[in-house]
């Protein structure tokens, strides 16, 4: 698979034009869509116009940045001005944002070529992309299986070679889990490193945007382009953004790696366990000092998350009332009925379920028992991580307890679906950066992800560890046959 | 435990009209999810401060300045029902 740097070199050598690269990406995407269904919408006109501008710059002898002319997919919960943004929901079917999200604005300025908006679980709520109101995305490694979620479209599009890189959002694992299940690199940055302005809100204290790619270097390049302070997002961190590629070194001498003991217990698939253990041994061979680290409250992350995230969601999604934008149920006889019927018809089952959980957890008489309790446990989980990072630089564990499951397998049992985010959720609760990268396959040929977790704003250490492992292995070179 | 009446009440608070079969389904599913939450009671949190944001940023202020919104028409056009410069809604006092 071609990298950002390769394409950049081809462009400045004038071996290929940005238009040609965009047309090829669009062509491949169209060919593969009947199988993968990664995209909700192709933005062909927009892509070709953007590519044309890049070509004009090159002809004029101007410098172009690394991302200029690079085909990218954008999860359809990031607002794109003048281009429909559905969030995978019927309630936003006709929504054309009158403004641009900060990340897509920055990418457009960098010359990146958006080829389309990718599929997702409705409002990013889900772990399989089956909750999309529009279509079910397939896993490129086995078309009967799910790509993971909620950013399943962005993961499948990169794994299937429809675009070079893509953006997803991650509230409880929605970048890392699909990256793991689709065999690509996915990074959830530190909470606040990337602006959420224009990202349709799900759970505001957890949501974070991040990149998907086929290599750690491409992840580092894309992160550098989207990270940084934005006054439009009040949770945005005022930090300098380094050139993340400077940290990509092939050896791990002196790097202290902690293995989270609790993640290797009950519920972990044996093959996943074996492959991840082999990967950890490889880190040791590269010079890392490995030690076991106990995070005793790690497993409480899941119930904590499923109180906090739905509570925040129930408030965030109150805005979908059929008045100012989106779908409205016609012919209601009064305002309250219009609200309740619009929301009944506009939202899918999982979104309703989470609104119900959140409304219940926040309602009079239950607030202390659920919401406040969960916020306190969140503190304990954070403390476990803080203690761990006193003795190690990064933590590692499997990204997911299993490889990709069959479509339809877990749709009737919400709890079993929730369990696939067991290993990723605590990272969001603590606001830390986490990355999933390919570390092997099971007997069925399905990819397995290694999760690398860093301390606050230590994306440098996460990327360094991931890069060293990637350079020493060939997993990232394997591609699905489509 | 949550019963059907509570499901109905919570749905009303959330402004969701549920079909009877949805109420039955949610009653079962919400109960198993609430039961799953019970494990949090294993942890003593009496003296633990709650975390509302993982990474705190405080006192974010900006100058209070009037700015014009350049795309007024596009914003109004997003409405399911627009009347001139207004969002149109059904009557607030209904027959039902």
């Amino acid at each position: 698979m071609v990298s950002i740097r390769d394409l950049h070199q081809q462009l400045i050598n004038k071996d290929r034009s940005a238009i040609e690269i965009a047309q090829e990406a669009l062509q491949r995407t169209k060919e593969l869509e009947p199988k993968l269904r990664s995209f909700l919408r192709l933005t062909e006109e927009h892509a070709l116009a953007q590519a044309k501008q890049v070509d004009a710059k090159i002809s004029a002898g101007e410098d172009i940045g690394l991302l200029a002319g690079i085909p990218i997919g954008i999860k359809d919960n990031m607002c794109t001005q003048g281009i429909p943004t559905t969030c995978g929901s019927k309630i936003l079917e006709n929504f054309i944002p009158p403004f641009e999200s900060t990340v897509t604005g920055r990418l457009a300025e960098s010359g990146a070529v958006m080829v389309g908006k990718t599929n997702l679980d409705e409002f990013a709520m889900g772990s399989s992309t089956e909750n999309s109101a529009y279509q079910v995305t397939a896993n490129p490694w086995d078309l009967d299986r799910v790509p993971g979620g909620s950013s399943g479209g962005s993961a499948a599009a990169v794994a299937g070679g429809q675009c070079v890189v893509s953006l997803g959002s991650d509230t409880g694992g929605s970048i890392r889990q699909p990256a793991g299940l689709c065999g690509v690199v996915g990074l959830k940055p530190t909470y606040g490193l990337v602006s959420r302005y224009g990202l349709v809100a799900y759970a505001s204290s957890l949501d974070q945007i991040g990149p998907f790619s086929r290599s750690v270097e491409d992840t580092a390049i894309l992160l550098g382009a989207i990270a940084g302070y934005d006054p439009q997002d009040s949770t945005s961190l005022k930090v300098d953004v380094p050139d993340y590629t400077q940290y990509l070194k092939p050896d791990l001498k002196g790097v202290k790696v902690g293995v989270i003991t609790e993640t290797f217990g009950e519920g972990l698939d044996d093959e996943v366990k074996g492959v991840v253990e082999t990967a950890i041994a490889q880190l040791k061979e590269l010079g890392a000092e490995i030690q076991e680290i106990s995070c005793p409250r790690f497993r409480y992350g899941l119930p904590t998350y499923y109180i906090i995230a739905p509570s925040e969601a129930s408030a965030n999604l109150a805005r979908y009332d059929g008045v100012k934008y989106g779908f409205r149920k016609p012919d209601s006889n009064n305002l309250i009925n219009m609200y309740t019927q619009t929301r009944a018809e506009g939202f899918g089952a999982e979104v309703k379920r989470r609104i119900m959980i959140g409304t219940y957890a926040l309602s009079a008489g239950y607030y202390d028992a659920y919401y406040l309790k969960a916020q306190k446990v969140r503190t304990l989980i954070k403390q476990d991580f803080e203690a761990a990072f006193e003795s190690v630089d990064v933590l590692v564990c499997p990204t997911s307890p299993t490889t990709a499951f069959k479509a339809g397998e877990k749709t009737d049992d919400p709890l079993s679906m929730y369990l696939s985010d067991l290993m990723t959720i605590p990272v969001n609760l603590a606001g830390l950066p986490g990355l999933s990268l390919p570390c092997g396959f099971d007997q069925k040929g399905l990819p397995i992800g290694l999760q690398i977790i860093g301390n606050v704003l230590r994306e440098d250490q996460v990327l360094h560890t991931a890069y060293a492992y990637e350079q020493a292995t060939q997993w990232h070179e394997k591609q699905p046959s489509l | 435990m949550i019963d059907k009446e509570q499901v109905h009440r919570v749905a009303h608070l959330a402004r969701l009209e549920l079909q009877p079969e949805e109420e039955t389904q949610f009653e079962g599913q919400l109960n198993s999810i609430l039961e799953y939450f019970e494990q949090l009671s294993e942890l003593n949190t009496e003296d633990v401060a709650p975390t509302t944001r993982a990474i705190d940023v405080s006192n974010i202020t900006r100058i209070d300045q009037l700015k014009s919104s350049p795309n007024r028409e596009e914003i109004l056009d997003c409405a399911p029902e627009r009347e001139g410069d207004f969002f149109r809604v059904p009557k607030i006092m209904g027959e039902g």
Side-chain angles (χ1 to χ4, degrees):
Chain A
M1 185 64 199
V2 66
S3 70
I4 291 176
R5 261 188 220 285
D6 290 345
L7 283 175
H8 180 70
Q9 206 55 49
Q10 290 170 11
L11 282 169
I12 56 175
N13 291 349
K14 299 187 183 168
D15 295 337
R16 278 209 284 174
S17 68
I19 287 275
E20 284 166 353
I21 291 169
Q23 279 169 338
E24 271 173 45
L26 288 161
Q27 185 58 34
R28 181 166 171 86
T29 300
K30 285 180 196 164
E31 277 166 26
L32 289 176
E33 270 307 281
K35 285 181 179 179
L36 295 180
R37 298 172 298 277
S38 326
F39 284 88
L40 288 172
R41 177 179 307 273
L42 286 185
T43 50
E44 183 160 5
E45 219 174 286
H46 172 94
L48 295 176
Q50 184 81 358
K52 200 173 163 187
Q53 282 184 20
V54 174
D55 283 337
K57 271 192 172 180
I58 297 169
S59 309
E62 287 176 46
D63 281 341
I64 55 160
L66 276 173
L67 282 172
I70 304 298
I72 182 166
I74 303 291
K75 186 178 184 179
D76 204 23
N77 61 350
M78 293 169 218
C79 288
T80 41
Q81 189 164 8
I83 296 170
T85 299
T86 68
C87 231
S89 181
K90 194 182 168 192
I91 215 159
L92 285 177
E93 195 167 12
N94 302 313
F95 177 53
I96 300 174
F99 68 108
E100 187 80 18
S101 69
T102 296
V103 283
T104 52
R106 284 185 182 173
L107 287 174
E109 263 170 51
S110 75
V113 173
M114 179 175 75
V115 291
K117 304 289 297 279
T118 60
N119 195 23
L120 68 158
D121 285 302
E122 184 178 3
F123 284 102
M125 298 180 192
S127 313
S128 68
T129 315
E130 291 166 290
N131 295 333
S132 167
Y134 300 102
Q135 63 201 35
V136 175
T137 297
N139 189 310
W141 296 91
D142 179 345
L143 300 177
D144 293 332
R145 289 174 191 271
V146 301
S150 65
S151 314
S154 286
V158 170
Q162 293 178 308
C163 48
V164 179
V165 288
S166 63
L167 287 187
S169 65
D170 188 318
T171 306
S174 285
I175 291 173
R176 290 158 290 154
Q177 186 256 18
L181 269 45
C182 289
V184 296
V185 182
L187 171 70
K188 181 204 89 76
T190 300
Y191 180 79
L193 180 60
V194 178
S195 169
R196 293 182 294 114
Y197 179 72
L199 171 71
V200 178
Y202 157 25
S204 306
S205 81
L206 303 159
D207 296 340
Q208 185 60 196
I209 292 170
F212 285 97
S213 72
R214 297 291 298 261
S215 72
V216 177
E217 188 188 33
D218 285 357
T219 294
I221 293 169
L222 187 49
L223 176 65
I226 58 171
Y229 178 66
D230 176 15
Q232 305 259 52
D233 173 359
S234 63
T235 60
S236 177
L237 299 174
K238 270 189 178 153
V239 290
D240 291 328
V241 176
D243 173 2
Y244 290 103
T245 60
Q246 70 183 290
Y247 306 113
L248 308 182
K249 308 253 166 62
D251 80 78
L252 292 175
K253 256 178 228 106
V255 176
K256 292 182 187 145
V257 175
V259 180
I260 306 174
T261 316
E262 286 78 7
T263 59
F264 287 85
E266 204 188 329
L268 181 63
D269 176 86
D270 283 339
E271 285 189 73
V272 173
K273 183 168 184 262
V275 163
V276 171
E277 281 170 350
T278 307
I280 292 165
Q282 180 91 44
L283 294 175
K284 193 176 177 184
E285 268 177 48
L286 290 164
E289 295 165 30
I290 310 286
Q291 55 179 288
E292 291 263 322
I293 291 279
S294 174
C295 293
R297 275 80 60 102
F298 194 89
R299 71 181 179 92
Y300 295 100
L302 198 71
T304 302
Y305 174 87
Y306 277 100
I307 293 171
I308 289 176
S311 295
E312 292 183 12
S314 71
N316 273 329
L317 272 62
R319 72 190 66 175
Y320 303 101
D321 58 5
V323 175
K324 297 180 292 302
Y325 43 78
F327 167 80
R328 172 190 292 185
K329 177 87 169 48
D331 307 325
S332 297
N333 58 359
N334 68 36
L335 187 64
I336 293 281
N337 288 345
M338 190 279 280
Y339 291 154
T340 59
Q341 290 163 3
T342 291
R343 290 162 64 80
E345 207 169 306
F347 290 138
E350 182 60 26
V351 172
K352 288 182 192 171
R353 196 150 40 233
R354 294 198 195 185
I355 290 174
M356 291 289 289
I357 297 169
T359 306
Y360 180 76
L362 293 176
S363 64
Y366 298 99
Y367 180 89
D368 285 5
Y370 291 109
Y371 189 64
L372 187 63
K373 178 80 185 182
Q375 285 188 311
K376 288 179 167 190
V377 177
R378 187 174 184 180
T379 304
L380 298 177
I381 292 165
K382 213 178 140 193
Q383 286 170 354
D384 277 359
F385 279 118
E386 282 163 2
F389 284 118
E390 277 176 23
S391 46
V392 296
D393 300 313
V394 294
L395 291 164
V396 293
C397 66
T399 303
S400 286
T402 66
T403 52
F405 42 91
K406 288 234 157 103
E409 196 179 314
K410 300 189 182 194
T411 38
D412 292 333
D413 183 0
L415 256 183
S416 84
M417 184 74 88
Y418 297 170
L419 281 166
S420 74
D421 290 332
L422 191 66
M423 320 276 196
T424 47
I425 275 173
V427 180
N428 298 75
L429 290 169
L432 304 171
L435 176 146
S436 178
L437 90 160
C439 72
F441 292 84
D442 71 3
Q443 297 288 335
K444 297 190 206 78
L446 300 169
I448 294 170
L450 173 71
Q451 183 175 216
I452 304 172
I453 304 162
N455 207 345
V456 176
L457 291 171
R458 293 317 300 267
E459 278 77 5
D460 57 329
Q461 291 180 320
V462 171
L463 290 164
H464 171 204
T465 310
Y467 180 79
Y469 176 82
E470 179 193 63
Q471 294 305 300
T473 56
Q474 276 82 47
W475 306 118
H476 62 289
E477 289 164 15
K478 300 222 184 299
Q479 286 182 49
S481 47
L482 282 162
Chain B
M1 292 296 277
I2 184 166
D3 58 26
K4 199 173 268 177
E5 199 181 308
Q6 276 174 303
V7 169
H8 192 78
R9 189 180 60 88
V10 172
H12 175 72
L13 288 174
R15 297 290 182 265
L16 282 173
E17 184 181 276
L18 297 184
Q19 298 304 310
E21 59 274 16
E22 280 182 300
E23 286 187 358
T24 310
Q25 198 190 26
F26 280 158
E27 186 192 349
Q29 289 173 340
L30 295 184
N31 271 316
S32 60
I33 292 166
L34 292 174
E35 202 180 311
Y36 183 74
F37 292 163
E38 280 308 307
Q39 59 181 291
L40 293 182
S41 62
E42 294 162 16
L43 296 171
N44 181 354
T45 52
E46 213 170 307
D47 301 320
V48 179
T51 294
T52 46
R53 294 202 175 271
I55 292 157
D56 253 325
V57 282
S58 57
N59 297 330
I60 304 299
T61 56
R62 60 171 173 78
I63 298 164
D64 189 17
Q65 258 174 345
L66 276 179
K67 271 194 278 183
S68 66
S69 189
N71 39 12
R72 177 189 164 89
E73 279 305 305
E74 283 113 302
I75 291 168
L76 284 162
D77 274 341
C78 286
E81 215 178 323
R82 174 183 173 180
E83 194 176 292
D85 286 348
F86 299 96
F87 299 116
R88 193 182 162 91
V89 293
K91 56 183 157 187
I92 291 171
M93 306 295 280
E95 301 88 53

